[in-house]
Amino acid sequence: MNFSIEFITVFGGLRSAIRVARVVVETVALNHSNVRWYVFGDDDTIFLPENLVKTLSKYDHELWYYIGAHSEIYEQNRLFGFGMAFGGAGFAISSSLANVLAKVFDSCLERYHHLYGSDGRVYSCLAELGVGLTHVPAFHQILHACASHLR
């Protein structure tokens, strides 16, 4: 999908954050059948499919769920909020919620053009819909200092 200059001008803010945030809308717009969950993460997020399926199967995809985890870095939580799922850990949105979110997302982006990241924009739009984070520890970031031994 093309990303026009007009879109960037209207919404303002960091181009990459807007583009990544709109992936939610564009993924829902693909209108795949039998989708229960939409799962998003950063370019360096690692998902273990078996664990992800097991974790999400505990929740009803027909209800509104925003599942993930806050940052493991206190300063990030202090700056961006303890109720937000961080993209580095990944997050999931139930299909019923994603369909509603997609309808209001662009107008929401206009209101939150000042936010830094795409995950913060998604969180703010979900908060407007009255949906809080369902904190699931299975979604977590691997911090650089913790992963340095993996090199």
Side-chain angles (χ1 to χ4, degrees):
M1 179 172 276
N2 293 335
F3 190 58
S4 71
I5 295 299
E6 295 80 28
F7 184 82
I8 294 166
T9 304
V10 170
F11 292 118
L14 189 61
R15 291 178 183 192
S16 61
I18 293 167
R19 181 71 190 113
V20 172
R22 286 207 81 254
V23 166
V24 174
V25 174
E26 293 170 12
T27 303
V28 173
L30 293 172
N31 203 26
H32 291 294
S33 59
N34 300 318
V35 173
R36 293 181 179 202
W37 296 95
Y38 292 92
V39 180
F40 301 96
D42 289 349
D43 60 344
D44 58 351
T45 303
I46 298 171
F47 293 107
L48 302 174
E50 297 81 14
N51 293 353
L52 189 60
V53 169
K54 182 178 177 184
T55 298
L56 295 177
S57 69
K58 298 174 186 176
Y59 301 92
D60 184 351
H61 68 278
E62 293 181 4
L63 300 176
W64 286 10
Y65 277 106
Y66 167 50
I67 297 175
H70 51 75
S71 177
E72 294 174 0
I73 300 173
Y74 172 78
E75 188 64 18
Q76 284 189 342
N77 290 311
R78 189 183 70 73
L79 290 172
F80 301 111
F82 286 89
M84 181 177 95
F86 280 74
F91 60 90
I93 302 173
S94 61
S95 58
S96 58
L97 176 57
N99 288 320
V100 172
L101 177 63
K103 293 175 185 170
V104 300
F105 201 71
D106 283 339
S107 65
C108 187
L109 281 179
E110 290 181 38
R111 289 187 292 285
Y112 297 106
H113 62 87
H114 60 282
L115 295 177
Y116 173 73
S118 59
D119 45 8
R121 294 164 197 258
V122 171
Y123 164 64
S124 296
C125 295
L126 290 169
E128 277 193 8
L129 292 172
V131 179
L133 176 66
T134 298
H135 182 264
V136 175
F139 287 83
H140 58 90
Q141 294 175 298
I142 296 177
L143 305 177
H144 177 72
C146 298
S148 62
H149 70 282
L150 298 174
R151 290 186 214 183

